[in-house]
């Protein structure tokens, strides 16, 4: 049968929706013959395009429709398999393609073995393997034999690239052997063979039915040869997406692609020009696909073409008439940050829902922005599926597997352990509430510095729980022992210094079964996780022979990041969120192009760690910048919608953001894109109430009968300076908890120091030689961060040496410590006064010295003179009145022993009382009387009287902020008294 006289190549302009125009054209060519359409074959670039074209036909399926056969040519970048049309059962036998995951693991092992002299971490090896797999695919797709590498290396190449190239040669020499041993070939190689086989078959026996290649932009030789054949078949058609037929010839020629200057791979038309060159069709031969309705006006299509002109031709913008620069129907909005951008986009999509039949789509490569928009839409009950999906590592099953691995690797440190136990999938199908009750008990018991690593260490930690958690300790311990059997197999699997990858994967999967059951493997994300785990177990022996368990979480993360989980259809029928691949062939009434910042759209080209740019150019491989050209093509296609909204944020989470080069081009050509001011106002005001009533300064006034009748000596300052905090602590019984897995805080260090000195005085009889040993033992038993340990250890040891010397000198002078950490109680001012004294010494004259340890700066004499910091005086009052058992005497000395630095030395003594040369100050003999008087005044006012517990009454003496949020401090602090409560 003779071939068609002229190549049948068409283009659908960007101002028409590609999928709908293609479907309309094919239906018109069928002329109502349903079987004619059913016999047609439509070749598409990838599996995602099949869904778009199917939806377009369904929208025109009034009365039923037999769809044409939709076949994907496969996309190696997406791990797409080639469609069954190209792989008939009676065709030449071509070996099966190797599984992509197995290939990555084999390459990981080859890289590790090639780097045996200079070992590479497993996570780095698996990343390098993924990059190498892409490089191999690119060379196969472009028909470049690995042997050409030797002739493509410039002599001046740096040592780094020479080393990478040597490693690449080593791996590529072994790779064909690995494939041959398994009777497998690369996926891209198999795709090339099948496409060439199909092209040869259609050349010898042209198919009888309609053959249409639609939306394909890949210019690889095997694909181009097939399209060349289709364009010349009797019923063959090649339909391109968005070819710029209005672009002036000098600009078109400047794109390059053949012999001559370096091609402009960043231009949106470059790939189409390269494809036309390879299929042997000149641009004037490309005809317009006359079907479908226009989205934007032809004027806008012309303006888009002008805006995307090569840089050398942008001077023409100055001479263009207004009509050729006008972007009617395109508006833009700049928001202060990504959160505000997501809010504005969600409002625009919500507005479209209110208009019957109107469709709208967000197109963005920024998956974080897409997720935020989807979350905002849920407030109105709108479920918008993100068709680009999200990586498995960010889904609940993926995070569960990661949490299991992290907990095992970190020795079940509290943060990692609790993250696992609190995971939303854990016990989701069983008694979740009872489970969470147990987790909360464990959470409370594990507060503070972390225990030693390992399950047995946690058990021991719970057995030795502090008094603060004693009430829940037994319950937490009982619950902990019930879940130990679930964790012990995991600990055993990760205990070795190296292990088989299959064993680690199996242990993590078994733990997921034990903790979450079917919830870990259900729904699309769970099925994707199950598939990854199954494939990883099946191919584990192909990869590194052994792996350090500590590297497994990062190793698994790399593999999970590469798995995209896409939601099933079922979201809102008129609201869509598309990635760039999904959006290229579709169009809606409103198209929102979001995330238009440099580095996001276009994204930064990923560096190739294997081939230097000069080598890629010498081999004829696409440059790293070609991705920018493809994203520019997708941006131009998005601009062709009937109504378009462009959005960007002025800054990201870290710093000010730079507008996308595409955005700047449009602004430069038009002089400014029409702003959507109304949308910006809506976005800024949606969550801002028209009026709000800030809280006033709290001042609760409980009945006198309900007020406390007991007071600790350490709480008097809080009662006077911040009565509300005293109320929250003593009456509401609210306590601040330590953080989980926290580094030792100042309060914890103070308690630890107190414990050292108590045991030293009680058990060691103040032997100076034993104090340092006790401090060293404390440091060895405390699981602190190495940096903190390095900073704290020398300071503490120097300070305790000073204490030992001071006590030894005191013993020589007749001063002897007689008790430490003793609790005392007396009746004073009509209440029960209680306190624990750090230390009391007996002086040579028989009187007492009251000592308080400080790890920081002690209170000043001024604070004492103003009626605060009375702790030493009150403890002296208790001692004076016989409140400490088996102790009698009158205090005559009150001292702070501080371990802080002063005058270049660690450790000093100071007293809050004493008279100066002028007789000014507080006489130590009167200190207990003064303390009793201050106590009586506060008790009469707040505990026996009905004075309100005012928040932050004297903030200069209320430095702690445990209850600032409860008192809503930020709403009233600093406002005039008359404004509070308004």
């Amino acid at each position: 049968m003779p071939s068609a006289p002229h190549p049948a190549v068409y283009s659908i302009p960007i101002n028409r929706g590609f999928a709908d125009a293609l479907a309309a054209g094919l239906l018109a060519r069928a002329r109502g013959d349903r079987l004619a359409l059913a016999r047609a074959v439509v070749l598409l670039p990838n599996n995602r395009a099949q869904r778009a074209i199917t939806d377009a036909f369904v929208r025109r399926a009034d009365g039923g429709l037999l769809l044409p056969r939709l076949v994907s040519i496969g996309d190696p970048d997406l791990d797409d398999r080639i469609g069954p049309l190209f792989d008939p059962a009676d065709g030449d036998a071509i070996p099966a393609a190797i599984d992509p995951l197995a290939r990555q693991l084999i390459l990981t092992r080859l890289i590790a073995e090639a780097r045996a002299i200079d070992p590479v971490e497993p996570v780095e090896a698996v990343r390098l393997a993924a990059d190498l797999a892409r490089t191999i695919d690119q060379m196969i797709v472009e028909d470049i034999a690995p042997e050409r590498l030797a002739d493509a290396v410039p002599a001046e190449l740096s040592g780094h690239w020479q080393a990478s190239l040597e490693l690449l040669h080593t791996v590529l020499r072994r790779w064909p052997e690995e494939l041959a041993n398994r009777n497998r070939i690369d996926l891209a190689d198999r795709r090339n063979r099948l496409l060439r086989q199909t092209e040869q078959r259609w050349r010898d026996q042209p198919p009888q039915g309609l053959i249409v290649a639609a939306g394909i932009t890949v210019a690889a030789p095997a694909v181009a040869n097939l399209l060349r054949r289709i364009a010349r078949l009797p019923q063959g058609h090649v339909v391109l997406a968005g070819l710029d037929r209005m672009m002036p010839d000098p600009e078109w020629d400047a794109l390059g692609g053949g012999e001559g200057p370096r091609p402009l791979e960043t231009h949106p038309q470059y790939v189409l020009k390269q494809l036309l060159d390879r299929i042997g069709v000149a641009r004037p031969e490309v005809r317009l696909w006359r079907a479908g309705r226009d989205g934007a006006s032809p004027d806008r299509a012309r303006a888009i073409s002008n805006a995307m002109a090569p840089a050398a031709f942008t001077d023409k913008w100055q001479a263009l008439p207004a009509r050729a620069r006008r972007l009617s129907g395109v508006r833009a909005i700049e928001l202060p940050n990504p959160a505000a951008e997501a809010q504005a986009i969600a409002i625009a999509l919500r507005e479209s829902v209110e208009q019957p039949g109107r469709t709208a789509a967000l197109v963005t490569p920024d998956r974080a922005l897409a997720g935020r928009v989807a979350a905002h839409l849920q407030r109105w009950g709108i479920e918008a599926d993100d068709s680009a999906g999200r990586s498995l590592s960010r889904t609940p099953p993926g995070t569960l597997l990661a949490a299991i691995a992290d907990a095992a690797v970190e020795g079940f440190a509290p943060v990692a352990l609790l993250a696992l136990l609190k995971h939303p999938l854990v016990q989701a199908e069983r008694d979740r509430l009872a489970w969470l009750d147990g987790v909360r008990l464990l959470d409370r018991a594990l507060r503070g510095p972390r225990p030693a690593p390992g399950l047995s260490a946690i058990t021991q930690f719970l057995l030795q729980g502090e008094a603060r958690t004693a009430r829940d300790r037994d319950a937490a311990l009982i619950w902990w022992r019930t879940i130990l059997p679930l964790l012990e197999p995991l600990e055993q699997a990760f205990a070795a210094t190296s292990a088989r990858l299959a064993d680690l994967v199996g242990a993590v999967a078994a733990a997921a079964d034990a903790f979450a059951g079917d919830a870990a493997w259900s729904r699309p994300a769970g099925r994707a996780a199950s598939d990854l785990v199954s494939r990883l177990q099946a191919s584990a022996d192909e990869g590194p022979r052994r792996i350090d368990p500590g590297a497994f979480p990062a190793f698994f993360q790399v593999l999970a990041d590469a798995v995209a989980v896409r939601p099933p259809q079922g979201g809102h029928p008129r609201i869509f969120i598309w990635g760039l691949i999904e959006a290229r062939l579709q169009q809606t009434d409103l198209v929102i192009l979001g995330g238009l910042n440099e580095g996001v759209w276009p994204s930064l080209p990923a560096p190739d760690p294997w081939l230097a740019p000069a080598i890629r150019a010498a081999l004829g491989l696409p440059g790293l910048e070609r991705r920018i050209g493809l994203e520019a093509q997708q941006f131009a296609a998005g601009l062709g919608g009937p109504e378009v909204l462009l959005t960007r944020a002025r800054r990201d989470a870290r710093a000010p953001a730079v507008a996308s080069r595409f955005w700047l081009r449009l602004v430069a050509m038009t002089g400014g894109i029409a702003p959507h001011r109304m949308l910006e106002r809506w976005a800024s005001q949606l969550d801002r109430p028209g009026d709000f009533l800030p809280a006033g300064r709290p001042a609760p006034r409980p009945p006198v009968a309900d007020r406390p009748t007991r007071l600790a000596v350490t709480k008097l300052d809080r009662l006077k300076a911040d009565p509300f905090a005293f109320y929250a602590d003593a009456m509401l019984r609210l306590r601040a908890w330590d953080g989980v897995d926290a580094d030792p805080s100042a309060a914890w260090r103070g308690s630890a120091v107190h414990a050292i000195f108590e045991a030293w005085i009680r058990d060691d009889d103040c032997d100076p030689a034993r104090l340092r040993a006790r401090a060293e033992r404390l440091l060895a038993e405390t699981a602190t961060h190495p940096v903190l340990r390095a900073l704290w250890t020398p300071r503490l040891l120097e300070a305790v040496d000073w204490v030992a010397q001071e006590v030894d000198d005191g013993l020589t002078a007749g001063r002897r410590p007689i008790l430490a950490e003793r609790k005392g109680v007396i009746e004073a001012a009509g209440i029960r006064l209680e306190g624990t004294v750090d230390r009391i010494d007996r002086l040579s004259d028989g009187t007492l010295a009251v000592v308080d340890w400080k790890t920081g700066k002690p209170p000043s004499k001024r604070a004492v003179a103003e009626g605060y910091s009375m702790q030493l005086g009150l403890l002296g009052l208790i001692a004076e009145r016989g409140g400490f058992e088996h102790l009698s005497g009158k205090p005559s000395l009150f001292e702070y022993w501080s371990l802080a630095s002063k005058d270049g030395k660690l450790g000093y003594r100071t007293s809050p009382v004493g008279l100066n040369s002028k007789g000014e100050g507080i006489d130590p003999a009167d200190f207990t009387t003064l303390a009793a008087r201050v106590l009586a005044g506060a008790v009469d006012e707040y505990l026996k009287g009905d004075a309100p517990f005012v928040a932050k009454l004297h903030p200069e003496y209320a430095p702690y902020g445990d209850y600032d949020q409860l008192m809503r401090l930020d709403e009233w602090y600093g406002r005039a008294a008359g404004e509070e409560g308004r």
Side-chain angles (χ1 to χ4, degrees), residues 95-126:
I98 191 168
D99 179 73
L101 180 59
R103 176 173 71 159
Q104 187 173 358
L105 292 175
I106 295 171
L107 291 174
T108 300
R109 172 170 53 81
L110 295 181
I111 291 170
E113 292 172 355
R115 288 277 298 271
I117 299 178
D118 181 19
V120 59
E121 292 292 331
V123 63
E124 184 61 22
V126 77

Side-chain angles (χ1 to χ4, degrees), residues 242-499:
L243 178 68
D244 190 351
R245 300 169 69 246
M246 298 177 289
M247 188 177 186
D249 290 338
E251 296 180 23
W252 179 261
D253 295 337
L255 299 181
E259 299 295 332
R262 182 178 177 181
L264 297 179
E265 293 185 276
T266 59
H267 194 278
Q269 293 293 309
Y270 172 76
V271 175
L272 292 174
K273 182 179 187 300
Q274 186 184 46
L275 180 60
L276 287 178
D277 290 343
R278 288 185 174 179
I279 66 178
V281 174
R283 188 171 54 135
E285 296 181 90
V286 179
R287 291 170 275 179
L288 181 66
W289 182 265
R290 299 188 180 278
R293 61 183 181 87
D294 285 346
S297 66
D299 286 343
R300 195 198 301 166
R302 187 179 299 276
I304 296 170
S305 174
N306 290 327
M308 294 297 173
F313 296 88
T314 52
D315 58 344
K316 72 176 183 179
W317 292 345
Q318 301 178 16
L320 288 176
R323 182 177 180 182
R325 293 186 287 111
R326 186 182 302 120
L327 291 173
S328 301
V330 178
R331 289 189 287 180
I333 180 172
E334 290 186 273
L335 286 306
N337 51 59
E341 183 182 10
Q343 179 87 288
I345 293 171
I347 293 173
L349 295 173
R350 174 71 174 84
E351 184 185 17
S352 294
V353 173
E354 296 299 314
Q355 303 177 41
R358 181 176 171 85
T359 58
L362 165 64
V363 180
T364 180
D366 187 345
R367 306 277 42 93
L369 176 63
R372 277 177 160 163
V373 172
H376 278 298
L377 289 173
Q378 288 176 352
R379 73 193 300 178
W380 297 301
I382 299 173
E383 292 290 337
D385 296 331
D386 183 358
S387 63
R390 54 178 175 163
S391 65
L392 174 62
S393 60
R394 299 183 61 189
T395 64
T399 57
L400 173 63
L401 296 175
I404 292 171
D406 286 339
V409 166
E410 294 187 25
F412 304 96
V415 170
L417 175 63
L418 293 173
L420 166 61
L421 300 181
K422 294 180 182 180
H423 193 280
L425 293 184
V426 172
Q427 301 296 313
E429 297 179 343
R430 301 165 194 169
D431 194 350
R432 171 80 174 170
L433 293 179
W435 174 269
L436 289 179
D437 287 340
V439 175
R440 291 187 187 101
L441 289 172
L442 185 63
D443 183 328
R444 185 168 184 177
L446 292 178
R447 297 274 166 165
R450 75 163 62 179
L455 298 177
S456 60
I458 295 178
T459 304
Q460 189 66 24
F461 182 86
L462 295 176
L463 286 170
Q464 299 173 350
E466 300 177 5
R468 177 180 58 79
T469 59
R471 184 179 59 182
D472 300 323
R473 180 184 58 201
D474 292 342
L477 188 59
I478 292 172
W479 186 83
W480 168 248
R481 284 173 170 158
T482 65
I483 69 168
L484 271 178
L486 304 179
L487 295 169
E488 286 169 343
L490 193 63
E491 183 179 46
Q492 294 169 6
F494 280 78
T497 55
S498 67

Side-chain angles (χ1 to χ4, degrees), residues 485-539:
L486 304 179
L487 295 169
E488 286 169 343
L490 193 63
E491 183 179 46
Q492 294 169 6
F494 280 78
T497 55
S498 67
R500 293 176 62 247
L501 180 59
D503 293 340
L504 298 179
V505 175
V508 171
D513 276 332
F515 280 106
D518 291 341
W521 317 112
S522 60
R523 302 177 182 269
R527 290 190 288 274
S530 175
D531 178 66
L532 175 61
V533 168
S534 299
R535 292 166 57 207
L536 196 51
Q537 287 179 303
S539 305

